[in-house]
Amino acid sequence: MPRRSPDPAERKRDPERTKARILDAATVEFGAKGYAAARVSAIADRAGVNKQLISYYFGGKEGLYRELAGRWHQQGGQLAEGPLAEVVRGFVLSTRERRDWARLMVWENVSGDDTPDEGDGEFLRAQVDALRARQEAGEVPADLDPECLLLALTAAASATLFMPKMARRITGQDPTSDEFAEHYADQLARLVRHLT
């Protein structure tokens, strides 16, 4: 098919749109290959931009990761509000909706990728503190260790992502389907309600 000349609206520079395309491409590339194996040139190709724009807008691969992590922390902080069962349900559904970012978290943890700690430790400590506050308010049983509880709930919320074959074998369902994600999120929320 012959190349066509872009119309004037397509030629108009839109830095915010370009940044969004780069961030979307980086999320997919990081999720597919992990932080260490992802290449700036592949991200640029996926976004349809010159790779110098990645350095210009974000300062390189680490800057992209930093920007994405900041956005995840903001979203995660918003998800952490409300009753604990609904928080867990929200994280399960978020894992489905932001599958590439969630895959990057799995890559980090199973591959030993040396990704920058862009507030991840601080974010997770804040989540532990929030569980302690829930404990003091009587929402979480006093005999549960908030750190272990956060680890267990995080693993449960992302189980279908890092154990899809096991999920399929246990349930006979497609763990990537919207129907299964909704069902699993509801069941996990119900389990948390029984704990609290």
Side-chain angles (χ1 to χ4, degrees):
M1 186 168 188
R3 285 184 75 181
R4 67 174 179 80
S5 179
D7 66 38
E10 290 175 317
R11 280 189 289 226
K12 184 176 154 186
R13 292 182 185 212
D14 184 347
E16 293 308 311
R17 185 178 66 200
T18 300
K19 288 179 193 177
R21 284 190 3 232
I22 292 169
L23 289 168
D24 289 345
T27 303
V28 173
E29 191 71 15
F30 288 153
K33 298 179 180 171
Y35 177 79
R39 298 288 172 251
V40 170
S41 58
I43 294 168
D45 289 346
R46 195 180 286 271
V49 301
N50 186 305
K51 71 179 184 178
Q52 280 77 22
L53 284 177
I54 293 173
S55 292
Y56 178 76
Y57 288 129
F58 300 101
K61 184 166 86 167
E62 189 172 329
L64 280 171
Y65 182 85
R66 197 176 308 121
E67 178 69 25
L68 291 169
R71 290 174 182 218
W72 167 243
H73 294 154
Q74 181 180 6
Q75 182 187 14
Q78 293 167 349
L79 285 171
E81 298 171 7
L84 185 58
E86 291 308 307
V87 169
V88 172
R89 184 180 189 286
F91 273 99
V92 170
L93 296 177
S94 174
T95 297
R96 179 197 67 199
E97 292 161 7
R98 296 190 51 151
R99 195 160 190 79
D100 290 314
W101 181 258
R103 283 177 49 120
L104 174 59
M105 297 299 102
V106 171
W107 269 108
E108 275 188 9
N109 285 283
V110 299
S111 71
D113 275 5
D114 190 21
T115 54
D117 180 1
E118 295 305 323
D120 291 341
E122 182 180 320
F123 174 78
L124 292 170
R125 285 188 296 280
Q127 300 309 306
V128 170
D129 290 343
L131 282 174
R132 279 195 183 100
R134 289 175 186 275
Q135 217 168 23
E136 290 169 9
E139 186 182 358
V140 173
D143 62 341
L144 292 177
D145 178 336
E147 294 167 346
C148 291
L149 179 59
L150 180 61
L151 182 61
L153 292 176
T154 301
S158 55
T160 60
L161 184 69
F162 65 87
M163 296 189 303
K165 288 181 183 177
M166 184 176 289
R168 185 182 311 272
R169 289 173 181 158
I170 291 171
T171 66
Q173 298 178 45
D174 177 4
T176 64
S177 72
D178 290 344
E179 297 80 19
F180 183 80
E182 290 285 342
H183 177 70
Y184 182 66
D186 290 340
Q187 289 299 302
L188 195 53
R190 186 174 295 207
L191 174 67
V192 170
R193 280 189 210 98
H194 284 293
L195 291 175
T196 57

